[in-house]
Amino acid sequence: LFWKFSSKNSPIVMRDGDWKLHLNARNRNGSEAELYNLKTDPTESTNLAETKTAVFDKLSTKLKAWGSTLPQNYVKSEKKKKM
């Protein structure tokens, strides 16, 4: 599962089994990558990007490939009116 919000500079994110990866997400400690094992850390409190390098490398390759297919700029449309 891959996703990205349309806001400028929002991270690209993926979920693969127990793993969740955020790229280009400036977090509290200033790093630009966050990797979590949601099975053992459902609150995403321990960033494993630097310690689980094999998992990080595999997932970041997939996520960057997906991210390269996204548009560079987004055009915001007007909000839909409630009926």
Side-chain angles (χ1 to χ4, degrees), residues 16-57:
D16 187 352
D18 294 335
W19 297 99
K20 183 176 178 185
L21 177 63
H22 302 248
L23 288 182
N24 301 322
R26 294 233 177 219
N27 65 12
R28 293 174 292 279
N29 66 9
S31 69
E32 293 190 15
E34 298 176 39
L35 177 67
Y36 301 103
N37 183 326
L38 298 177
K39 184 175 184 177
T40 60
D41 182 18
T43 60
E44 299 180 19
S45 59
T46 304
N47 184 357
L48 301 172
E50 292 184 10
T51 58
K52 296 291 186 181
T53 55
V55 174
F56 174 78
D57 291 344

Side-chain angles (χ1 to χ4, degrees), residues 2-4 12-13 61-70:
F2 299 90
W3 68 95
K4 181 185 187 318
I12 54 175
V13 185
T61 297
K62 289 181 183 181
L63 186 52
K64 287 175 185 177
W66 176 78
S68 71
T69 68
L70 300 176

